[in-house]
Amino acid sequence: MKAVVVGGGIIGTMHAVLAIEAGHEVVHIERDSRPLSASIRNFGLIWVSGRAAGAELEIALRARRLWEVIGSRAAIGFRAQTSLTIAQSEAEFNLMLAAAAMPDAPARGFRVLDRAQVQAHEPVLQGKFLGALECTQDAAVEPNLLLGGLRDYLARHDRYTWRPNFEVVDFYHDETGNHVTDLTGHKVSGDLLVICPGSAQQGFLSEFLEGAPLRRVHLQMGATVPFAANLGHSIADADSMRYYPAFKDLALDTLAPQDPIAAQFKMQLLLVPRLDRSFTIGDTHEYEEPFSHEILEAPYDHLRSVISAIFGAPTPAIERRWSGNYSQFVGDGIYYRRELAPGAVVVTGGGGRGNTISPAIAEETINSWPK
Ligand SMILES: Cc1cc2nc3c(=O)[nH]c(=O)nc-3n(C[C@H](O)[C@H](O)[C@H](O)COP(=O)(O)OP(=O)(O)OC[C@H]3O[C@@H](n4cnc5c(N)ncnc54)[C@H](O)[C@@H]3O)c2cc1C
């Protein structure tokens, strides 16, 4: 069958990958000359540790297995990069002990490490901390390589066509199939259509998405110069446990009040070592529109102070800063899927774990198609 996939972000690209592997012909459409949205602005984390118990953890684990396979086929920098969530106080450490005793802790690969065990893994961590929660199911890819690497893999199949600079402004369905058009009237048609617009939900889509339980979230991030030593783990601070639903039933009220800047900007520390040894660091969260148009310095001061406290050394200089938006489904379920017409769907709303679960979302779409 011929499938048209709109959106060159990770959700669209994963649809293209799984559709090609299922034997379909794929035309993959993107409005920009190369994708510039959330999927290249993120940490590249495949973050299983924070997922809510039940269906959300299940889809994340399924996706994690798919990432492993796809990562072995495409040059995307996939690595099983275990995470360490660092406890800087006794209350945080006790919370991690409770997390490691949760019924689904083995599925998440949770284990509490004391300070000496953390330092046996990561000798460069010489700051003030008591231990860490390890998650062996977490992993990472390189956002700078990801989409291009997947498209290089797709281009090995002559059933794949990449159509950048094609902004879809309309869609219709008739007895011959599903059709999308751009402003100049160019048309691309297929039997099947998947629209993966990320947070760009205006224009022709607003008719379908009016009132949908979706919100946009705005984040601020940064990247440092390369670090002097190798770091093999992604690092989080215990503020992350305040936000991730995996920990929502633990005694979060035993934690000391959050640092005022972290609380104001709804922050946690996530630090991901890149293949060039730089660190991607973040992040802030803004939920109310209109979003701030400025990159503010206070959150970076906070990140620097947390990183320095964990490493016991100055934070490497921050050399790049950026912001990004993702679309988050706030209804009952994990992401947003809506049928527009027979064989045509819109899929978005993966939220802050859209990268993590993207292959499993795509698999659900492809499994629903006629064989
Ligand atoms: C700063 C930040 C950090 C994050 N960190 C993580 C993380 O570490 N792990 C994780 O799991 N998730 C993370 N996320 C969330 C994740 O990045 C997103 O959920 C995911 O990238 C969304 O992918 P997408 O393909 O739906 O959207 P996008 O990446 O926004 O892609 C949508 C694409 O569709 C194109 N498009 C839109 N409309 C049209 C149209 N009409 N015609 C043609 N093309 C169109 C756009 O140009 C764009 O390229 C983060 C997000 C942000 C912003």
Side-chain angles (χ1 to χ4, degrees):
M1 292 213 143
K2 182 175 174 190
V4 178
V5 176
V6 177
I10 192 58
I11 303 288
T13 305
M14 280 295 182
H15 276 86
V17 168
L18 274 90
I20 283 288
E21 292 191 341
H24 300 286
E25 180 187 345
V26 173
V27 182
H28 190 188
I29 291 175
E30 164 58 42
R31 72 178 170 194
D32 291 323
S33 56
R34 67 179 177 92
L36 294 169
S37 302
S39 304
I40 64 153
R41 291 165 186 258
N42 64 27
F43 290 97
L45 283 170
I46 296 151
W47 195 251
V48 171
S49 45
R51 306 285 58 94
E56 189 178 308
L57 178 59
E58 277 163 32
I59 195 172
L61 287 169
R62 210 163 67 239
R64 172 68 176 75
R65 289 190 287 275
L66 288 166
W67 272 112
E68 188 114 31
V69 176
I70 294 163
S72 70
R73 294 179 186 160
I76 57 175
F78 173 86
R79 54 206 182 274
Q81 187 164 282
T82 295
S83 72
L84 296 172
T85 299
I86 304 288
Q88 295 173 280
S89 72
E90 208 159 312
E92 292 174 358
F93 193 67
N94 288 337
L95 214 58
M96 292 176 193
L97 290 170
M102 297 190 309
D104 55 16
R108 298 172 190 272
F110 275 176
R111 189 166 65 117
V112 173
L113 307 180
D114 64 22
R115 181 181 167 87
Q117 289 170 315
V118 171
Q119 289 180 326
H121 282 305
E122 290 292 5
V124 293
L125 301 185
Q126 289 294 331
K128 287 194 186 138
F129 60 87
L130 304 179
L133 180 66
E134 179 189 52
C135 176
T136 56
Q137 288 299 311
D138 287 339
V141 289
E142 291 293 284
N144 288 342
L145 302 178
L146 178 61
L147 301 174
L150 291 174
R151 289 199 307 274
D152 287 347
Y153 167 70
L154 284 160
R156 289 184 224 153
H157 304 78
D158 56 14
R159 286 174 284 114
Y160 177 72
T161 306
W162 170 236
R163 289 283 302 265
N165 300 308
F166 189 113
E167 179 165 12
V168 173
V169 297
D170 208 356
F171 145 81
Y172 67 94
H173 171 87
D174 64 17
E175 66 287 353
T176 66
N178 290 294
H179 316 275
V180 291
T181 53
D182 71 4
L183 262 184
T184 56
H186 289 113
K187 180 167 85 166
V188 177
S189 304
D191 308 299
L192 304 157
L193 170 67
V194 193
I195 301 177
C196 308
S199 61
Q201 294 158 11
Q202 307 86 346
F204 77 104
L205 279 176
S206 53
E207 174 193 339
F208 300 101
L209 299 182
E210 175 81 48
L214 289 165
R215 70 172 173 184
R216 297 200 310 160
V217 180
H218 183 69
L219 294 82
Q220 228 180 285
M221 311 259 293
T224 70
V225 296
F227 185 53
N230 278 325
L231 186 74
H233 293 73
S234 301
I235 304 287
D237 71 358
D239 275 347
S240 62
M241 300 180 78
R242 301 176 197 262
Y243 297 118
Y244 283 122
F247 310 111
K248 71 177 174 45
D249 295 329
L250 302 183
L252 294 170
D253 55 354
T254 58
L255 295 176
Q258 206 177 7
D259 173 278
I261 291 293
Q264 180 187 343
F265 290 94
K266 302 180 178 58
M267 294 182 69
Q268 59 189 340
L269 167 71
L270 291 177
L271 181 158
V272 184
R274 304 264 70 104
L275 294 179
D276 68 358
R277 296 215 316 263
S278 65
F279 296 158
T280 307
I281 58 171
D283 53 0
T284 64
H285 295 88
E286 214 178 325
Y287 299 106
E288 298 291 327
E289 299 202 42
F291 298 135
S292 156
H293 63 288
E294 294 168 318
I295 300 277
L296 303 172
E297 196 57 23
Y300 296 95
D301 291 340
H302 171 75
L303 290 173
R304 272 190 283 259
S305 83
V306 178
I307 295 167
S308 301
I310 292 172
F311 280 70
T315 305
I318 297 174
E319 68 168 12
R320 282 165 287 142
R321 293 167 172 75
W322 65 92
S323 63
N325 297 330
Y326 60 69
S327 168
Q328 182 181 33
F329 180 54
V330 290
D332 192 18
I334 295 169
Y335 63 95
Y336 183 79
R337 171 189 298 279
R338 171 162 173 201
E339 184 174 85
L340 305 177
V345 286
V346 59
V347 180
T348 186
R353 66 306 199 242
N355 188 64
T356 301
I357 63 176
S358 55
I361 293 177
E363 187 182 55
E364 290 183 0
T365 306
I366 276 82
N367 285 346
S368 74
W369 287 351
K371 298 284 175 271

